[in-house]
Amino acid sequence: MVADGQAMTTTSRVGLLATIGLLVTAAVWGSTFVLIKDVVDRMPVADFLAVRFIVAAVVMFALFHRHVARLERRQLWRGVMLGALYGLGQLLQTWGLSLISPSVSGFVTGMYVVFTPILATFLLRQRMSTSVWLAVGMATLGLALLTLNGFSVDLGVWLTLISALLYGLHIVGLGHWARADEAFGLSAVQMAVIALVCLLATAGHGGPTLPPDRSAWIAVLYMALVAGAGAMLMQTWAQAHLPATRAAIVMTTEPVFAATFAVMFGSDVLTWRMLCGGGLVLAAMYLVELTPRREPPAEAIHHEV
């Protein structure tokens, strides 16, 4: 009994650390919005993504090539599939963003919080509690308040919606396949495939162009190393310890952090919509973290398929 209690306490602590790690990841992603807007105004979007992820992949393989070599062939292919999903999601989201407003893009991208539990239910036969579905609804409403000022369904919305579906698949797959002791290797494989997908997208005009100046390079390096490699590593490790739906709800705090940074740096004004929307997203995260965890331990969830 004592040993069981200690194991539960350890699992709870690791789960808390995983949640904090995803919150830090969401904060990092939220900090990049201003930087991305500045850089893509001065270089093609596909080129920016290619350079960003190539730098991240090179650094990750330099640091973790031995971890990659230790991966089983099955895990290597899983990393390839996950990286392809994420890379295609990045391209479609960015393409959609060029056709619609950033606020609508932010809301539609955040719909992965809805797709994730649906996909987990149908693909993995995971049962979701009423409180989790309530949290999904609260997070969706919060995203709408945070980002929407008018909405129309056009090509950009459909492209972004498909990217959200791909992100949902990535979250479910990563949550099902990731193991804490393989986080370094699996993250490096994913990053290499993301870089390849983005590089292929630049083939039509002869390959990627480099950032035009020093400030652009600094921004790209930050997004490659911190918001790219570091965030992917943290997400992979954290999802080895959290169910996919919980992870998705925690990650919807990204627009909350984006709005916070926008207000802090004077590029936006604090409004009641920000306060209410951000409050709902945080309340959804709080609700799902307080929900009794009836799922089996992470070791049981990540079984072989």
Side-chain angles (χ1 to χ4, degrees), residues 105-184:
S105 175
F107 170 72
V108 179
T109 301
M111 290 303 291
Y112 64 70
V113 75
V114 177
F115 289 133
T116 299
I118 294 173
L119 291 168
T121 298
F122 283 98
L123 296 179
L124 305 181
R125 302 293 189 267
Q126 292 181 2
R127 297 184 62 183
M128 302 296 164
S129 66
T130 302
S131 59
V132 169
W133 286 111
L134 177 60
V136 167
M138 290 170 61
T140 303
L141 179 58
L143 286 170
L145 284 173
L146 267 172
T147 59
L148 289 184
N149 286 302
F151 188 88
S152 61
V153 179
D154 54 21
L155 178 60
V157 171
W158 285 113
L159 291 172
T160 310
L161 194 63
I162 295 172
S163 78
L165 178 62
L166 293 175
Y167 288 145
L169 280 169
H170 179 265
I171 292 169
V172 171
L174 189 60
H176 190 59
W177 289 332
R179 297 174 178 81
D181 60 339
E182 296 176 341
F184 293 120

